[in-house]
């Protein structure tokens, strides 16, 4: 590769960014995609408004879209890996059509399937996820240059007139913790966090 | 002229209410409404055309196409957890893309996913691929012990659909309602 495009985006860390996001939250929903993305969400401190996926790779943004449509007054964050998003790029067009302004999507892009042995994704090195999002109709999409820029973009998304997508380049570190894999409890607590039902 | 217009709009209203009671798509729409199912994402099928058109016309529903069926499953799952009921419309080949999401989201998280599947691949199918993929549908449903019904008769549609939706919600279990060509007319080579 002699023609690698210059990138001015800093390589950051998933757990650090997740902690920065969670630190500023009150009752916002957060949907964590499969694998390390939701493991680091769990490690950043469990909260009932978090939903952790244990499969269904690529569905973090669609699940978040459903939450955002059902509760338009609640801010919904979705954290997804680049490999996961590649499984479901079409959802970007659907989200651009529905255009919920209460949805903020974060793509954690390290160009690898970290959890399966760090194999490069087919997109690694040449596909620009943020450009794909913009071309899908999500005009309010951008790369975070560094941690401060990430926090600024998160804050800005809460005032946005449409959905926001934030791309972050991350390193190849594994997650800091592991989500307790109890799907019914995860779902029940999330519904409690969404104010839909009381815990038993 | 005004009288004629009046009569014609009255006729239309009558047609609409007759539609609701006597056509399969009218019954499905009314049953969704009665069960407070507002969110209806779909991947289209020729047989579902009128139902999809009527859902778009009715302001009660939020209905839209998705790029893949599993995307629609994710959307209604998220919506249900946040207090809004939904159902997904698809055709047989679309159902065949869902095994992973059924086994890793709808079933283990106990989500009352309601699916209407327009059945291709049988009773006059002209595309061998459709005929083959249709044979994978019920084995997948059975392997996950999922509730499913094949609806063949107009007079049984409301009962099956209404009861199945209520059962899905109260038992927090997914259900597939398969719309047979015997009910819908299906899609044939000359159409």
């Amino acid at each position: 590769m002699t023609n690698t495009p210059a990138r001015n985006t800093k390589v950051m860390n998933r757990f650090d960014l997740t902690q920065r996001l969670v630190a500023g939250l009150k009752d916002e929903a957060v949907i964590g995609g499969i694998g390390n993305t939701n493991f680091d969400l769990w490690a950043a401190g469990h909260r009932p408004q978090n939903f952790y996926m244990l499969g269904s790779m690529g569905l973090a943004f669609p699940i978040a879209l459903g939450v955002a449509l059902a509760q338009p007054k609640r801010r919904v964050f979705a954290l997804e890996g680049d490999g996961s998003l590649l499984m479901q790029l079409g959802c970007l067009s659907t989200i651009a059509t529905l255009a919920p302004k209460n949805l903020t999507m974060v793509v954690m892009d390290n160009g690898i399937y970290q959890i399966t042995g760090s194999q490069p994704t087919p997109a690694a090195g040449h596909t620009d996820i943020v450009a794909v999002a913009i071309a899908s109709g999500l005009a309010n999409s951008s790369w975070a240059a560094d941690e401060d820029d990430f926090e600024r973009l998160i804050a800005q998304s809460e005032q946005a007139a449409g959905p926001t997508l934030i791309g972050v380049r991350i390193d190849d570190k594994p997650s800091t913790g592991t989500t307790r894999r109890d799907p019914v409890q995860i779902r029940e607590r999330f519904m409690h966090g969404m104010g839909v039902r009381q815990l038993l | 002229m005004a009288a004629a217009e009046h009569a014609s709009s009255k006729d239309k209203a009558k047609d609409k209410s007759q539609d609701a009671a006597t056509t399969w798509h009218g019954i499905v729409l009314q049953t969704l409404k009665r069960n407070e199912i507002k969110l209806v994402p779909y991947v289209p099928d020729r047989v579902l055309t009128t139902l999809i058109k009527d859902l778009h016309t009715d302001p009660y529903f939020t209905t839209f196409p998705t790029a893949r069926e599993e995307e629609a499953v994710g959307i209604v799952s998220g919506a249900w957890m946040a207090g809004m009921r939904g159902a997904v419309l698809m055709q047989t080949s679309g159902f065949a893309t869902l095994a992973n999401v059924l086994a890793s989201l709808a079933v283990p998280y106990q989500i009352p996913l309601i699916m209407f599947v327009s059945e291709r691949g049988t009773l006059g199918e002209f595309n061998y691929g459709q005929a083959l993929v249709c044979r994978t549908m019920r084995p997948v449903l059975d392997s996950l012990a999922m509730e499913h019904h094949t609806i063949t008769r107009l007079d049984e549609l409301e009962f099956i659909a209404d009861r199945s939706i209520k059962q899905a919600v109260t038992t927090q279990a997914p259900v597939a309602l398969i719309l047979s060509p015997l009910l819908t007319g299906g899609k044939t080579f000359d159409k």
Side-chain angles (χ1 to χ4, degrees), chain A residues 51-57 59 62-63 65-67 69-71 87-88 90-91 94 98 183-184 186-188 190-191 194 196-197, chain B residues 39 62 64-68 70-84 100-101 104-105 108-111 169 172:
Chain A
F51 182 76
Y52 311 93
M53 280 165 48
L54 300 176
S56 62
M57 186 171 179
L59 289 193
I63 291 170
L65 172 61
V67 176
L69 292 173
Q71 298 201 7
M87 285 249 174
Q88 205 70 240
C91 80
T94 309
L98 278 291
V184 170
I186 289 169
R187 198 253 313 133
E188 199 68 26
F190 181 68
M191 292 179 78
M194 292 299 97
V196 169
R197 59 171 62 162
Chain B
L39 188 65
T62 299
F64 52 89
T66 59
R68 279 179 74 78
E70 57 182 0
E71 191 194 332
V73 170
I75 292 166
V76 298
S77 298
W80 179 72
M81 292 191 288
M84 181 189 239
N100 181 52
V101 71
S104 64
L105 181 65
Y109 284 86
Q110 296 184 2
I111 290 169
V169 171
Q172 296 196 168

Side-chain angles (χ1 to χ4, degrees), chain A residues 149-170:
Chain A
D149 195 36
F150 173 71
E151 289 183 354
R152 184 186 66 79
L153 288 166
I154 291 286
Q156 191 175 293
S157 77
E158 306 199 34
Q159 312 300 327
T164 299
L165 185 141
I166 304 167
V168 290
R169 289 175 74 206
I170 59 163

Side-chain angles (χ1 to χ4, degrees), chain B residues 92-158:
Chain B
T92 328
S93 57
F95 178 85
T97 68
L98 291 182
N100 181 52
V101 71
L102 296 174
S104 64
L105 181 65
V107 174
Y109 284 86
Q110 296 184 2
I111 290 169
L113 167 67
I114 295 154
M115 294 176 285
F116 286 88
V117 186
S118 167
E119 188 176 26
R120 282 283 306 266
T122 186
L123 300 172
E125 181 56 59
F126 52 88
N127 178 338
Y128 188 39
Q130 287 281 1
L132 287 173
V133 82
C134 178
R135 290 171 205 164
T136 69
M137 178 164 58
R138 290 174 183 84
V140 167
L141 288 162
D142 290 336
S143 70
L144 290 166
M146 276 179 59
E147 184 86 359
H148 63 90
H149 296 281
T150 302
I151 309 174
T152 59
R153 294 173 54 101
L154 194 67
D155 61 345
E156 294 178 351
L157 169 59
E158 185 178 352

Side-chain angles (χ1 to χ4, degrees), chain B:
Chain B
M1 187 62 195
E5 268 174 13
H6 182 65
S8 122
S9 74
K10 218 168 142 186
D11 281 351
K12 268 187 199 155
K14 200 174 148 199
D15 281 347
K16 204 78 181 168
S17 71
Q18 267 187 352
D19 224 36
T22 61
T23 65
W24 71 265
H25 44 85
I27 291 169
V28 168
L29 188 143
Q30 290 304 323
T31 306
L32 290 174
K33 213 180 238 189
R34 193 173 332 113
N35 286 281
E36 296 174 351
I37 293 174
K38 289 184 173 221
L39 188 65
V40 192
Y42 61 85
V43 178
D45 175 65
R46 168 73 76 85
V47 166
L48 298 169
T49 304
T50 307
L51 176 59
I52 289 168
K53 187 165 72 60
D54 291 348
L55 287 167
H56 275 285
T57 307
D58 191 325
Y60 181 81
F61 296 101
T62 299
T63 191
F64 52 89
T66 59
R68 279 179 74 78
E69 291 77 3
E70 57 182 0
E71 191 194 332
V73 170
I75 292 166
V76 298
S77 298
W80 179 72
M81 292 191 288
M84 181 189 239
R85 290 186 189 177
V88 180
L89 313 181
M90 69 192 85
Q91 79 164 225
T92 328
S93 57
F95 178 85
T97 68
L98 291 182
N100 181 52
V101 71
L102 296 174
S104 64
L105 181 65
V107 174
Y109 284 86
Q110 296 184 2
I111 290 169
L113 167 67
I114 295 154
M115 294 176 285
F116 286 88
V117 186
S118 167
E119 188 176 26
R120 282 283 306 266
T122 186
L123 300 172
E125 181 56 59
F126 52 88
N127 178 338
Y128 188 39
Q130 287 281 1
L132 287 173
V133 82
C134 178
R135 290 171 205 164
T136 69
M137 178 164 58
R138 290 174 183 84
V140 167
L141 288 162
D142 290 336
S143 70
L144 290 166
M146 276 179 59
E147 184 86 359
H148 63 90
H149 296 281
T150 302
I151 309 174
T152 59
R153 294 173 54 101
L154 194 67
D155 61 345
E156 294 178 351
L157 169 59
E158 185 178 352
F159 190 96
I160 295 174
D162 185 66
R163 296 288 179 101
S164 295
I165 291 168
K166 288 177 166 65
Q167 180 172 332
V169 171
T170 52
T171 64
Q172 296 196 168
V175 64
L177 297 171
I178 301 162
L179 307 173
S180 166
L182 285 163
L183 177 77
T184 64
K187 184 179 177 184
T188 51
F189 189 63
D190 54 8
K191 276 185 186 169

